[in-house]
Structures are given as structure tokens and as C-alpha cells.
Amino acid sequence: MLLLAGFAASVVRFRGDLIRAMQACGCEVHVAAPGLSACREVAEALSRMGVRMHDTPLGRTGTSIPADLAYLFRSWRLMRRVRPAATLAYTAKPVIYGTLAAWVAGVPYRYALVTGLGFAFTAGRRGMLTQVVAFLYRIALVRARLVFFQNPDDQRLFRARGLLLSSTPSVVVDGSGVDVASYAATPLPTGSPVFLMIGRLIGDKGVREYAEAARCVKLRFPAARFRLAGWIDANPDAIAPEELDAWVADGTIEFLGRLEDVRPAIAAATAYVLPSYREGTPRTVLEAMAMGRPIITTDAPGCRETVIDGENGFLVPVGSVDALVESMVKFIGDPALAPRMGERSRGIAEEKYDVHKVNAVMLREMGIAPPQSGAPHAG
């Protein structure tokens, strides 16, 4: 099995359990990602797991046609050398170009995992970039044996726009899952409420709405604290450093930077907030749920599936600062609310988002099973 990823730093965190599950089924696993050898911790972790690694240069957010075609060619050449029985590509460019390369290279089992729609499709964008990306998805996914989606809205959109033909099978899985043992429930902090958001610092994540809501709440409740963890991404929609500096300087936001381990930050939070415009299924929300935190997120694709409104958190309209403020104030006004909703979050994480349950579905759909079962597998 050859996994094709667009972001090396996330391979172990997001796909480590899936890789181990594949290995337990007898698969030899290779991983191809840009800058993999430069991410020393990731490379060392994959090496300890016995994974074969391959660097595949790729501009994750650029629109350079020559660079993308070079990635397709390098992926094809890698596949001709490695001769995998199956490929699993995730994130936009690996799904598009990696699947095409696998088809040209004659890889018999080609799987794609759509983890979100990205910049070209969010916030109602309908320009030339969206049309080009849609066309590329269409010609790539018709060559996939099976396409995984992380929420039903993305699946419906791909079908409705003709990006995914009716002849191509697809399955919805519950995100990437979360290891509920590693992300154990922790007691909520005492004292003034602490709100937390983690993610890439881009507009589509709702970072500006989070900052503005924090400013409004602090005018009424100065003791409330608002923390933000993440990094400024190479993205057309990225938050400007000057914006972030201003939020920190006026005391609105406590910026934690990029975190290798988010668990201490979640443990120190009363509630987790993600005002995103659209997601596949947000991993940080699942991690916060597993640790017993209530969630405030948007009634948007990928986000709405994680919250039962009023039970383990609140759903707010996309872009609504007022609704964010109202939800935050509820936790401030009722100290018993966060523990009750947090307990429900943990229960949902265990029932629905346990990574071992999610991976079991993916392996079954790909026909991968432990050798002793006698079932065929695409190793």
C-alpha cells in the first residue's frame, strides 16, 4: 500500500493508526509526501513503524501547472519503481495527481480520501480556479476504485456537480477518527472560563470571527480568556501577521503558536471553538470531544456532524459573530453547562469517532483484512 499525502507533518498524527492497522493486516506500507525527510520527528516515527518513505516535491497550495505536472510525473515514476498493489491518496493534489499517476502506472487498486474541499470550494467561490479544480477532480476520480468522504455534504456536492460519477463507488466515514485512549477525558479547569481554537490561521477557519467574538465577550466579561493555537499558512486566505499581532497586543487573544501536542491546551480549556466555513471532519474538534470538552462550531458541512445542538455544544451560523458571542456567554453564565456537555462529547467520541472503528470501516471497504481471516487484501 502506498499512501500519498500532501503535508508531511500530519502523516503520523492523522494516519498513524491507519498505517498500523494496515500493517496488522499484512500490508507493507509506503508513504510519499513532500518534505518528508525534512520532518525529522515524522520521519523517525515512520521509520520506527517500519514504513518506507519517499519525498515527492509538491506545492500544497500553489497553482503552478508545471510544478503539479512534475509531481504527477514523479509519482508515476515512484509507482513504477515500487509497484504497489494499491494507493490511498488524501488532500486535494495527491487525490487528483496521485490517482491519475496510479492509473497510468497500472496500479490495480486506487483509493481516494476527500478530507475537505479546500480554498477553491469554500465560501461560495465559483471562479476559474474552482472550475479547474472541479475538472481535475472529475477526470481523476473516475479512475478511482472507491472514494471516501468524511461527511455526507461533500459526497452530495461531488455527485451533484458531476465530480464523482454514479458509476464510481463512494463511502462516508466519520472523519479520521481519534484515539480515545490517548486523548483521555480530563477535568475542566477551575476559575474563569477559557475558550480555545486550534487550526491553520486562514479566514475560512473562522479565525476573524473568533477574534471578534472574543473582543465582544471580554468587554462584558473581562476575566474570560481566549486562546488560539496554530500557524499562518501559505494560503491566499491567510490571516496577516499584523492582524494576529493586533489581537495579541490589545489583550483579545492569547496566542499559543503551533503545538506539537495539543492535549495540554485542550486540558486547560473550558470549551473548544471552531467557527469554520467548511471541513471534512475537523480533527481538533474530535480531540477536544474525546477529552471531554463542549464544542461551539458552525452549522456547516463536516462541522455539524460533530455536535448535537444543545447536548454536547452549540451550532452557530457560518460567519455569525453574534451567535458565537451568545454561545460563549452561556458557558460563562452557567458553570454547570460545560461539565454536562463535555461528558456528552466524550460519549459521542467513544461511540462514533473512535479511530479503530473508523479505520475498520476503511479497511473493510478496501478489502483489507488480517491474513488469518482468509479474506483478500490489497496490500
Side-chain angles (χ1 to χ4, degrees):
M1 172 66 76
L2 172 63
L3 265 65
L4 299 158
F7 188 43
S10 69
V11 170
V12 175
R13 183 182 173 204
F14 285 84
R15 305 288 165 237
D17 288 300
L18 179 60
I19 290 170
R20 283 184 281 268
M22 289 177 172
Q23 291 174 322
C25 292
C27 295
E28 179 184 68
V29 179
H30 293 242
V31 171
L36 192 55
S37 58
C39 294
R40 189 164 61 181
E41 289 186 8
V42 174
E44 289 175 353
L46 290 174
S47 180
R48 288 193 298 270
M49 294 165 63
V51 172
R52 301 281 298 277
M53 291 169 283
H54 311 273
D55 272 323
T56 49
L58 170 67
R60 184 168 60 91
T61 58
T63 55
S64 168
I65 294 176
D68 290 348
L69 291 177
Y71 170 74
L72 189 155
F73 174 73
R74 292 189 185 100
S75 298
W76 169 81
R77 191 167 57 183
L78 170 64
M79 294 171 198
R80 294 293 293 176
R81 185 175 77 250
V82 173
R83 295 288 183 179
T87 57
L88 173 62
Y90 68 97
T91 67
K93 288 189 178 184
V95 164
I96 292 169
Y97 299 111
T99 302
L100 288 172
W103 173 65
V104 175
V107 177
Y109 296 92
R110 302 177 295 274
Y111 304 106
L113 170 60
V114 178
T115 56
L117 299 189
F119 175 78
F121 285 90
T122 53
R125 297 185 177 95
R126 297 279 183 169
M128 180 62 69
L129 176 62
T130 302
Q131 294 178 35
V132 171
V133 173
F135 170 76
L136 292 172
Y137 267 125
R138 190 176 297 117
I139 63 173
L141 293 183
V142 74
R143 274 105 185 154
R145 186 181 183 93
L146 176 68
V147 180
F148 293 100
F149 291 91
Q150 294 194 331
N151 68 69
D153 292 278
D154 287 354
Q155 184 190 46
R156 282 192 292 268
L157 184 146
F158 269 55
R159 292 285 190 196
R161 292 196 184 181
L163 280 62
L164 186 68
L165 301 182
S166 58
S167 57
T168 304
S170 65
V171 175
V172 177
V173 294
D174 292 318
S176 301
V178 61
D179 186 342
V180 296
S182 295
Y183 289 83
T186 59
L188 270 68
T190 57
S192 301
V194 178
F195 297 91
L196 172 67
M197 177 181 175
I198 303 171
R200 290 179 295 142
L201 303 188
I202 58 177
D204 286 352
K205 293 292 183 182
V207 180
R208 293 185 178 93
E209 288 85 348
Y210 177 69
E212 179 61 19
R215 187 190 67 80
C216 293
V217 172
K218 285 184 75 70
L219 289 174
R220 297 166 56 186
F221 304 95
R225 301 171 66 184
F226 296 86
R227 292 176 170 170
L228 175 64
W231 67 100
I232 295 177
D233 194 54
N235 186 290
D237 194 36
I239 301 298
E242 296 78 15
E243 288 182 89
L244 177 61
D245 291 343
W247 298 334
V248 174
D250 67 15
T252 298
I253 295 293
E254 299 174 35
F255 184 56
L256 306 181
R258 185 170 188 165
L259 303 176
E260 294 300 323
D261 185 354
V262 300
R263 287 172 292 188
I266 295 173
T270 307
Y272 185 78
V273 186
L274 184 66
S276 180
Y277 295 5
R278 189 181 194 112
E279 297 282 332
T281 295
R283 174 63 180 256
T284 57
V285 168
L286 304 188
E287 291 166 344
M289 289 171 62
M291 292 185 68
R293 295 304 181 266
I295 307 299
I296 301 172
T297 192
T298 49
D299 188 11
C303 297
R304 65 169 65 101
E305 284 76 22
T306 64
V307 169
I308 303 173
D309 193 40
E311 289 193 22
N312 71 309
F314 299 108
L315 292 175
V316 300
V318 172
S320 176
V321 172
D322 290 343
L324 277 174
V325 170
E326 181 182 350
S327 297
M328 292 170 174
V329 168
K330 288 178 181 177
F331 289 111
I332 297 173
D334 183 1
L337 191 60
R340 183 172 73 249
M341 286 189 165
E343 183 178 1
R344 183 69 178 108
S345 278
R346 173 68 186 185
I348 294 172
E350 292 175 333
E351 296 161 13
K352 184 176 180 181
Y353 294 109
D354 183 331
V355 69
H356 302 297
K357 295 179 180 179
V358 174
N359 288 341
V361 173
M362 293 189 67
L363 295 178
R364 184 184 70 236
E365 294 294 337
M366 289 187 287
I368 300 174
Q372 63 269 25
S373 72
H377 67 83

